[in-house]
Amino acid sequence: YQYLAIKSISERKRLISCPKSVIILSSFSFSYCSLLKRVIKNQGCIVVAQIVPIDELSKEYWKKLVHIRQPLRKNYFTGEEWKLLFLQHHFQLKDETTIVLKGSLNTWIEKYNIKNTERINLYRSLLENASPEYKEKYKIRKVGIDIEYSSQWFIGKFINDKG
């Protein structure tokens, strides 16, 4: 649960406390919205914790990078798009925050036991060849043989208000 990287206990409680029921989504399909609306009790909540691009301008390049890291990922939404999706399905946005986590090429390789050299080299190349603006936004920098970068997470708490 990456969203637990939120530093303050009070912020964690604020985001995941709910009087009725809580569902935490870390993967998502569009069909879930209608289903969730039907099965979550009135005033029940959904907490969405997703890695997102920092902004719309960097989204296309970000999608290329994330597709290599997470080839099965289907959705590449911004935080604003996540909010709009749930609001369109008549959930109320109760709370939201973003957090920035630091990652690196070597950490990704080790954490997910990546053995495919072609995939590693492609990811390395995309990080190294990102535009200066993109590198600044995502804090991409070479550290020895590793490459560090930051990732932004959107965390939204949505309430099912059937009333």
Side-chain angles (χ1 to χ4, degrees):
Y1 297 104
Q2 291 280 354
Y3 69 90
L4 293 178
I6 297 170
K7 302 263 187 287
S8 103
I9 300 278
S10 62
E11 189 169 5
R12 276 188 226 163
K13 285 180 181 176
R14 176 178 58 83
L15 284 166
I16 63 173
S17 67
C18 191
K20 297 285 183 176
S21 58
V22 177
I23 294 178
I24 299 173
L25 293 178
S26 59
S27 63
F28 187 80
S29 167
F30 284 113
S31 61
Y32 289 171
C33 271
S34 298
L35 175 64
L36 290 170
K37 189 70 177 170
R38 260 195 349 259
V39 300
I40 292 180
K41 294 178 183 178
N42 188 26
Q43 298 303 307
C45 57
I46 300 167
V47 177
V48 177
Q50 287 289 309
I51 188 173
V52 295
I54 289 175
D55 57 27
E56 194 65 41
L57 294 174
S58 63
K59 185 176 180 178
E60 289 308 309
Y61 201 79
W62 177 85
K63 281 169 56 173
K64 289 179 189 178
L65 285 162
V66 172
H67 182 71
I68 294 167
R69 277 199 333 241
Q70 301 173 337
L72 300 177
R73 185 182 187 99
K74 293 186 178 2
N75 301 310
Y76 299 93
F77 301 141
T78 63
E80 290 302 311
E81 289 168 327
W82 277 110
K83 287 190 284 190
L84 184 59
L85 177 68
F86 280 93
L87 293 173
Q88 285 173 338
H89 283 84
H90 309 289
F91 285 91
Q92 290 183 1
L93 178 63
K94 179 74 173 170
D95 207 346
E96 69 176 289
T97 192
T98 57
I99 60 172
V100 176
L101 298 176
K102 193 167 150 181
S104 79
L105 177 66
N106 288 344
T107 302
W108 169 70
I109 292 167
E110 291 169 19
K111 184 176 181 179
Y112 296 103
N113 197 26
I114 307 297
K115 302 284 187 205
N116 183 325
T117 308
E118 186 178 322
R119 186 172 166 204
I120 293 168
N121 289 337
L122 179 56
Y123 192 49
R124 177 185 303 281
S125 174
L126 283 171
L127 288 168
E128 288 174 340
N129 295 310
S131 71
E133 296 84 12
Y134 190 91
K135 284 181 178 179
E136 183 178 332
K137 233 177 244 187
Y138 289 87
K139 297 177 178 40
I140 297 172
R141 66 187 189 107
K142 199 162 174 83
V143 179
I145 60 168
D146 200 4
I147 301 174
E148 292 181 345
Y149 53 85
S150 61
S151 298
Q152 180 170 290
W153 285 75
F154 165 77
I155 302 158
K157 180 178 176 181
F158 299 90
I159 303 293
N160 186 9
D161 187 5
K162 293 181 180 176

